[in-house]
Amino acid sequence: MSLIIKSERLYCKYNSSEVLTNISFGVEGGEFIGLIGPNGSGKSTLVKIILGIITPSEGAISLFGKDLSVFSDWHKIGYVPQKIVSFNPYFPASVKEVVSLGTLSKKKFPKSISKADADAVHRTMEFMGILDIEHRLIGELSGGQLQKALIAKALVSEPELLILDEPTSSLDPETRENFYSILSELNQKKGITVVLVTHDIWSIGKYASKLLYIDKKILFYDRFENMKDFFASNMQWRDTCQG
Ligand SMILES: Nc1ncnc2c1ncn2[C@@H]1O[C@H](COP(=O)(O)OP(=O)(O)O)[C@@H](O)[C@H]1O
Ligand SMILES: [Mg+2]
């Protein structure tokens, strides 16, 4: 099976301090990867390197079999960032308008919404269970609703790979479980490859096919079941990953 993400000997530095060291791993199509690790362990940095937002100091990434330098099929990738800084919560846009923005990634100028796009927006909102709030302003939504709207925006162009950076940190436990089952469904029914950055290792073990545990370097990359052996030999785990 060809790899959706291939990372080879990645290193990353901010100023002079090394944040990622010798990161090599591969993600196959259809996998659900839980990317875990303590605060400051380099998870967001790794995600941003994968997305070409940050350039590593050494090493290489390929996406869908193409080196990042020549990769251009960005519509195949949906990304939900950790910090929602791309719009002001009081920005006067409705749920539907925000989700519609997700259709623009495939296009060159002029960017406008076709009938097919409008249908995709409708279907995706329906799938995410937010059709009833399509006209609400995004600033008025609860954390869970906003999260669903942002995922709908990432999903509307039917990505093959979905990367989410701590999307559940502002959700209550029930909404969080609900959210995980939506991701699980996307993964299992639509075959979307998922990379989910989370602190929530206990829950994510139930949904992810593999855990990638990093702390600057890779400490563990394997199936959740095999984590027990890792626990037995790494007591530091308990202190670092309870957040
Ligand atoms: N733009 C930046 N400039 C300098 N240091 C940064 C920057 N972004 C992150 N860092 C540092 O790099 C380390 C890894 O950060 P990050 O990738 O955000 O970790 P995580 O997502 O696992 O919490 C942290 O020590 C953080 O303070
Ligand atoms: Mg982070």
Side-chain angles (χ1 to χ4, degrees):
M1 186 154 218
S2 71
L3 294 174
I4 300 279
I5 303 173
K6 186 175 176 193
S7 167
E8 290 172 286
R9 295 181 304 280
L10 276 189
Y11 288 78
C12 184
K13 278 182 193 155
Y14 288 117
N15 307 318
S16 59
S17 68
E18 199 146 78
V19 181
L20 292 174
T21 306
N22 196 18
I23 303 281
S24 299
F25 67 96
V27 176
E28 289 177 9
E31 287 195 299
F32 185 148
I33 307 297
L35 173 52
I36 56 178
N39 270 331
S41 58
K43 303 182 296 296
S44 295
T45 301
L46 178 56
V47 162
K48 287 177 194 162
I49 291 174
I50 292 171
L51 294 164
I53 299 169
I54 294 178
T55 309
S57 24
E58 279 175 55
I61 289 279
S62 36
L63 296 173
F64 296 90
K66 283 194 177 155
D67 189 81
L68 202 56
S69 58
V70 294
F71 180 77
S72 59
D73 293 332
W74 291 106
H75 63 89
K76 289 186 178 174
I77 302 178
Y79 170 48
V80 180
Q82 174 166 17
K83 292 209 179 76
I84 306 161
V85 288
S86 49
F87 58 81
N88 178 323
Y90 302 104
F91 186 68
S94 68
V95 167
K96 185 178 173 180
E97 287 163 339
V98 167
V99 176
S100 302
L101 290 175
T103 64
L104 299 177
S105 65
K106 268 188 196 173
K107 299 198 174 79
K108 305 214 167 10
F109 285 100
K111 295 191 181 237
S112 64
I113 311 266
S114 67
K115 171 81 171 68
D117 290 337
D119 290 346
V121 168
H122 186 91
R123 270 199 316 276
T124 310
M125 289 192 297
E126 190 168 38
F127 177 79
M128 290 303 298
I130 52 173
L131 207 46
D132 56 328
I133 54 165
E134 65 176 327
H135 299 301
R136 295 264 297 278
L137 294 182
I138 48 165
E140 297 171 349
L141 305 180
S142 70
Q145 289 170 327
L146 178 60
Q147 213 53 267
K148 284 182 183 171
L150 293 174
I151 293 161
K153 173 176 176 271
L155 282 178
V156 73
S157 63
E158 305 202 328
E160 293 172 40
L161 169 64
L162 189 56
I163 301 181
L164 308 101
D165 195 349
E166 301 205 41
T168 60
S169 42
S170 65
L171 304 182
D172 61 75
E174 194 188 332
T175 314
R176 189 176 298 196
E177 285 298 322
N178 195 355
F179 171 79
Y180 288 142
S181 31
I182 291 170
L183 282 186
S184 188
E185 200 178 317
L186 289 171
N187 174 246
Q188 310 221 324
K189 295 203 179 137
K190 298 202 176 194
I192 296 176
T193 306
V194 177
V195 175
L196 172 66
V197 178
T198 181
H199 259 86
D200 193 7
I201 57 154
W202 306 111
S203 293
I204 203 54
K206 286 190 283 185
Y207 303 97
S209 54
K210 277 187 187 167
L211 295 183
L212 174 57
Y213 172 35
I214 67 169
D215 193 357
K216 297 195 166 95
K217 57 188 179 20
I218 295 182
L219 298 179
F220 179 88
Y221 183 44
D222 202 345
R223 308 189 67 78
F224 182 65
E225 304 86 272
N226 299 334
M227 199 92 211
K228 290 187 207 78
D229 304 333
F230 179 78
F231 268 118
S233 53
N234 289 272
M235 294 307 283
Q236 60 156 358
W237 168 266
R238 285 196 321 197
D239 307 322
T240 54
C241 264
Q242 284 184 336

